[in-house]
């Protein structure tokens, strides 16, 4: 399998837009998200996926500050990784990069694709990082993934502690540096 992480261009953003509802569907199991009355995973009156996709335009409006990555396997879209920098991060100012979203389609999980994508991401953006994940038992798979992946990618040089996200409340916060 050839795993590629590429900064997604505005012209190709529709690929991320196509994958994103699947990510929200997966998150609904962990966070107990429900759809609105139109079948969209949003709390407001968003009626279509096209309307929902406009929310993500911000990721292409701030190059060098917001980084929307597409994860590809054998040239096919397989996932996404959204990386933010200040002022779009919910963490302390000493953090350079915040992994806002990370998602792999189920077909590619458990095959080393995620770790390869993370390695490529960290090679592209050197600095102090934070990522957060849900601390509940419903999210044990992601917790194991991040512990294993960060152990491998940082040679065990990361910290893990309970933190607080301004929107989602308590989360496990992982911090590490790639300098």
């Amino acid at each position: 399998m050839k795993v590629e992480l590429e900064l997604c261009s505005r012209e190709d953003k529709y690929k991320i837009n196509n994958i994103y509802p699947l990510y929200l569907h997966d998150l609904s199991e962990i966070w107990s998200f429900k759809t609105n009355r139109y079948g969209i995973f949003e709390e407001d009156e968003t009626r279509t996926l096209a309307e929902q996709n406009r929310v993500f335009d911000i990721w292409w409006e701030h190059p060098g500050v917001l980084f929307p990555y597409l994860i590809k396997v054998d040239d096919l879209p397989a996932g996404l990784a959204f990386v933010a920098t200040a002022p779009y991060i919910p963490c302390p100012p000493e953090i350079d990069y915040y992994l806002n979203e990370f998602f792999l389609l189920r077909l590619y999980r458990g095959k080393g694709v995620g770790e390869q994508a993370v390695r490529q991401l960290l090679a592209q953006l050197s600095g102090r990082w934070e990522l957060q994940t849900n601390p509940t038992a419903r999210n044990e798979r992601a917790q194991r993934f991040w512990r294993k992946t960060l152990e491998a990618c940082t040679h065990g040089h990361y910290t893990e502690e309970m933190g607080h996200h301004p929107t989602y409340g308590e989360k496990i916060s992982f911090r590490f540096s790639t300098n």
Side-chain angles (χ1 to χ4, degrees), residues 13-14 16-21 40 42 46 48-58 60:
K13 78 182 195 91
Y14 69 91
I16 285 180
N17 290 343
N18 290 342
I19 292 172
Y20 201 79
I40 303 293
E42 292 293 338
T46 301
T48 67
L49 293 175
E51 287 177 25
Q52 183 185 49
N53 291 340
R54 287 187 210 115
V55 172
F56 301 106
D57 286 346
I58 191 170
W60 287 269

Side-chain angles (χ1 to χ4, degrees), residues 111 124 135 161:
K111 298 177 179 176
Q124 289 185 33
E161 61 187 39

Side-chain angles (χ1 to χ4, degrees), residues 57-71:
D57 286 346
I58 191 170
W59 286 93
W60 287 269
E61 293 169 358
H62 302 283
V65 176
L66 297 176
F67 303 87
Y69 286 96
L70 182 64
I71 300 168

Side-chain angles (χ1 to χ4, degrees), residues 76-147:
L76 296 175
L80 56 87
F82 286 175
V83 178
T85 64
Y88 297 97
I89 57 175
C91 35
E94 67 268 9
I95 298 299
D96 300 311
Y97 299 104
Y98 179 73
L99 186 56
N100 201 68
E101 316 280 355
F102 187 88
F103 172 68
L104 278 180
L105 295 170
R106 291 180 182 196
L107 173 66
Y108 303 106
R109 296 179 191 169
K111 298 177 179 176
V113 172
E115 181 179 325
Q116 286 184 56
V118 169
R119 284 186 184 280
Q120 290 177 39
L121 181 63
L122 300 182
Q124 289 185 33
L125 301 172
S126 182
R128 298 162 299 187
W129 284 81
E130 179 170 325
L131 68 90
Q132 298 176 341
T133 195
N134 183 300
T136 64
R138 293 184 308 268
N139 197 37
E140 285 179 3
R141 182 177 181 147
Q143 294 167 28
R144 282 192 310 271
F145 168 79
W146 285 116
R147 289 178 183 122

